Amino acid sequence: MEHFVEFENVSKYYQTGSVRIAAADHLNFYVDKGEFCIIVGPSGAGKTTLLNILGGMDTCDEGHVWLDGQDVSHFTERELTTYRRYDVGFVFQFYNLVQNLTALENVELASEICRDPLDPAATLESVGLGERLNNFPAQLSGGEQQRVSIARALAKNPKLLLCDEPTGALDYKTGKQVLALLQRTCRETGRTVIVITHNTALTAMADRIIQVKSGQILSNKVNEHPVPVEQIEW
Ligand code: ATP
């Protein structure tokens, strides 16, 4: 069976002086369509490296990465740009919003360059920010800014949503609300969502749990009984 996301023997090396680090060391794993997948591992495990390779923000040195039947690991620079623009939505720890644009303008900016975007205002409304369209990032809380960044990613109507420590800069309660939004988005839209985190407690909410350490996959398991994040304590 063809998987939606598939890594086949993927390696990425960094050379610092005489030391060579395998940030990704012959990775083999897959994620199926519509899954809420959590990739968990300690600091330096290679989580961001893996996500960046999947999102076309970085290239691998060996192996193949497949998304929806397409080998995205051997794209030309031009193909990579198109891939990042159309196929992948990113959510980062520190939101990365444009400070002198309103919430609506931030989302519009992303959707303007896309093939089949969603309506920016409606997308902001869907993340609970219908009343804050004309606010600038500095006028919003951290949780609200992260919601804008989620709306910005979703408005591109991407095949895949990639979230790198999306709650890393948020307090406990706000972090839970953001994760609940991501889980609801996955359930309601059938979009594949991949979240990376240090927090092993969060794995209880995932359909698929992938553990990484030292650039390697320790395990890739389906969780038959994912729970709403509201039920998890950490
Ligand atoms: P964290 O949770 O701390 O963000 P991570 O699991 O996301 O960590 P990565 O950022 O992918 O891990 O890093 C994996 C390894 O690759 C680490 O040992 C890191 O020091 C190394 N690394 C990452 N980027 C570079 C780089 N540009 N140059 C050299 N080494 C790097």
Side-chain angles (χ1 to χ4, degrees):
M1 186 190 126
E2 190 178 274
H3 299 287
F4 191 61
V5 170
E6 190 149 6
F7 273 50
E8 189 188 332
N9 259 317
V10 172
S11 295
K12 172 81 183 179
Y13 305 100
Y14 290 111
Q15 186 87 32
T16 313
S18 59
V19 181
R20 191 166 96 136
I21 293 170
D25 188 4
H26 298 92
L27 300 182
N28 287 286
F29 71 90
Y30 59 85
V31 177
D32 286 324
K33 196 173 171 124
E35 286 183 334
F36 189 85
C37 171
I38 288 191
I39 298 179
V40 67
S43 185
K47 304 183 295 297
T48 297
T49 301
L50 183 164
L51 212 72
N52 286 348
I53 290 172
L54 176 55
M57 303 235 282
D58 205 347
T59 52
C60 57
D61 297 319
E62 293 166 6
H64 294 272
V65 178
W66 304 86
L67 175 70
D68 201 12
Q70 221 185 355
D71 184 349
V72 306
S73 50
H74 291 82
F75 276 161
T76 61
E77 207 44 56
R78 193 188 174 91
E79 287 168 330
L80 265 182
T81 305
T82 307
Y83 171 68
R84 281 192 297 260
R85 217 178 249 187
Y86 297 155
D87 292 336
V88 192
F90 290 97
V91 176
F92 303 98
Q93 181 172 356
F94 296 109
Y95 334 128
N96 296 12
L97 300 176
V98 182
Q99 292 300 313
N100 58 352
L101 296 182
T102 64
L104 182 60
E105 288 166 342
N106 265 280
V107 179
E108 282 173 345
L109 186 66
S111 64
E112 271 164 15
I113 55 167
C114 292
R115 206 164 11 203
D116 185 23
L118 306 179
D119 178 69
T123 309
L124 276 163
E125 207 162 307
S126 76
V127 301
L129 291 177
E131 308 290 309
R132 311 303 296 269
L133 304 186
N134 298 316
N135 284 124
F136 291 92
Q139 298 171 314
L140 300 171
S141 69
E144 287 166 341
Q145 290 187 60
Q146 193 58 299
R147 283 170 189 273
V148 176
S149 100
I150 292 169
R152 176 182 57 186
L154 290 176
K156 292 169 62 174
N157 203 2
K159 290 182 176 176
L160 184 64
L161 190 60
L162 298 179
C163 311
D164 192 345
E165 297 277 4
T167 63
L170 303 174
D171 64 53
Y172 180 72
K173 191 168 158 234
T174 314
K176 264 195 168 180
Q177 289 164 351
V178 163
L179 287 167
L181 171 64
L182 290 171
Q183 194 178 33
R184 179 165 62 80
T185 298
C186 177
R187 298 283 178 258
E188 289 177 1
T189 65
R191 213 179 290 280
T192 311
V193 177
I194 300 180
V195 175
I196 65 177
T197 180
H198 291 95
N199 189 342
T200 50
L202 293 180
T203 56
M205 71 184 285
D207 301 317
R208 179 177 297 281
I209 304 158
I210 297 176
Q211 274 188 296
V212 291
K213 194 177 174 191
S214 308
Q216 298 180 335
I217 304 291
L218 293 186
S219 64
N220 178 1
K221 289 186 191 142
V222 168
N223 179 16
E224 298 288 355
H225 304 289
V227 299
V229 68
E230 291 84 353
Q231 292 176 18
I232 304 172
E233 298 297 333
W234 66 88

